Amino acid sequence: MNKFHGTGVAVVTPFQANGQVDYPALQALIDHLVDGGIEYLVSLGTTGESATLSKDEKKQVWEFTAKAVNKRLPLVAGIGGNNTHETVAEIKAFNLDGYDAILSASPHYNKPTQEGIYQHYKAIAEAAPLPVILYNVPSRTGSSVSAETTVRLAKDFKNIIGIKEASGNFDLLNQLMRDKPEDFLVISGDDPISLQMIAMGAVGVISVVGNAVPRQFSDMIRLCLGGDYKAAHPAHYSMIEFTRLMFTEGSPAGVKTALKHLNVCGDTVRLPLVQVSEGTAQQIKEQIAAIG
């Protein structure tokens, strides 16, 4: 599954000032990312504000994205939820054209046990017509997928090919890297520690920051994957402050502000998210200039 090595970007969903999806801006953003040299795209992950889109809107965004990408890069669809039956139904109804995998976050809010998480993903794996990438993000879901549960799923279902790991828990990561099947992909879900995770065996990142600086970020990730960490350090350190600002007042508000300054798309987000403050916006603008 080398198509998911390197830098994937969790694409933001541009909105017009009135809150409607801005499809010309989405086209411009996709072209910006393809031209920026990233390896693959994720459509309607958390960064795409999928929680605030209706079913019809999500269907339209997925289909538009597939046409806009036009097979230039591998494409992943973010399909998840805390109602297993509904998530399975959404996966079964999904239009596969142009897509290579499904990224599915562990259920939020319900706080299931590890057995509940296993059974949720078992149902998804048995229904999914595409390879599945798990997504562990306890800061958003309220529970964590343990290393043991991930390894169990990886061994039991051949179509579960990897995990986007965003727990920031290096003890969990140590166990996962030690025990997982050799071909199971561990992908960083946390921009600031992608270098460190690759050093431990991760195959890349699904990035938020990469929306704004795809060339700089993906070049750095490729250096890491090539084992040249010394060469990667300057880029890594130069983006620390910029990356921090992307999350200071919530994601994707920060990266949408950066994209506005880059004239790629607007910075409108849907409630309950709001745009960043003027002070943070100014700092983001200054960091963009510093990164170049």
Side-chain angles (χ1 to χ4, degrees):
M1 301 304 296
N2 289 336
K3 66 177 68 175
F4 302 122
H5 287 211
T7 301
V9 169
V11 183
V12 305
T13 303
F15 297 118
Q16 302 172 32
N18 64 4
Q20 297 303 303
V21 177
D22 188 340
Y23 287 102
L26 180 54
Q27 176 73 65
L29 174 59
I30 290 168
D31 291 340
H32 164 73
L33 296 172
V34 173
D35 293 343
I38 65 158
E39 276 73 35
Y40 62 100
L41 296 172
V42 177
S43 177
L44 293 185
T46 306
T47 307
E49 296 177 71
S50 54
T52 66
L53 270 67
S54 69
K55 287 184 178 180
D56 285 343
E57 286 176 321
K58 288 195 286 186
K59 182 174 182 290
Q60 290 164 14
V61 169
W62 278 323
E63 291 180 355
F64 181 90
T65 299
K67 290 177 182 177
V69 171
N70 193 26
K71 301 187 183 299
R72 290 179 289 173
L73 292 177
L75 191 53
V76 179
I79 308 177
N82 63 342
N83 179 333
T84 305
H85 178 78
E86 187 175 291
T87 301
V88 167
E90 189 170 16
I91 288 171
K92 287 181 175 179
F94 181 68
N95 182 351
L96 308 178
D97 292 347
Y99 284 85
D100 299 274
I102 291 167
L103 175 69
S104 194
S106 178
H108 62 276
Y109 191 75
N110 302 38
K111 297 183 75 172
T113 64
Q114 292 303 306
E115 185 60 27
I117 291 170
Y118 175 88
Q119 293 297 333
H120 173 82
Y121 278 126
K122 177 178 185 288
I124 287 173
E126 290 174 344
L130 292 172
V132 175
I133 301 171
L134 314 176
Y135 182 14
N136 184 32
V137 57
S139 63
R140 289 188 180 273
T141 64
S143 63
S144 183
V145 185
S146 70
E148 292 85 356
T149 298
T150 299
V151 170
R152 182 183 172 196
L153 286 162
K155 290 180 176 179
D156 288 354
F157 302 98
K158 294 302 181 185
N159 63 334
I160 295 181
I161 62 167
I163 185 167
K164 179 183 177 184
E165 175 51 56
S167 68
N169 182 337
F170 278 86
D171 183 51
L172 182 155
L173 188 62
N174 282 334
Q175 296 177 56
L176 178 57
M177 298 308 299
R178 181 192 66 195
D179 299 337
K180 72 177 185 67
E182 185 177 355
D183 60 350
F184 184 77
L185 308 178
V186 176
I187 301 166
S188 172
D190 200 353
D191 285 321
I193 59 172
S194 295
L195 181 149
Q196 294 89 331
M197 287 185 63
I198 292 171
M200 294 179 67
V203 299
V205 59
I206 294 176
S207 174
V208 174
V209 171
N211 277 282
V213 288
R215 179 67 62 186
Q216 295 92 327
F217 199 81
S218 62
D219 283 351
M220 186 269 289
I221 294 296
R222 278 188 287 272
L223 287 170
C224 293
L225 290 171
D228 196 348
Y229 293 97
K230 185 175 181 179
H233 284 164
H236 172 71
Y237 293 134
S238 74
M239 288 186 279
I240 287 175
E241 185 61 19
F242 178 73
T243 300
R244 183 189 68 79
L245 287 166
M246 294 301 93
F247 303 97
T248 296
E249 295 185 30
S251 178
V255 77
K256 279 191 169 182
T257 299
L259 287 164
K260 180 180 179 181
H261 286 306
L262 291 165
N263 297 313
V264 177
C265 67
D267 63 349
T268 301
V269 289
R270 282 185 175 178
L271 288 171
L273 301 181
V274 295
Q275 293 158 313
V276 303
S277 64
E278 290 184 11
T280 296
Q282 180 59 34
Q283 291 180 67
I284 290 171
K285 183 177 181 181
E286 291 168 359
Q287 283 298 312
I288 290 172
I291 292 171

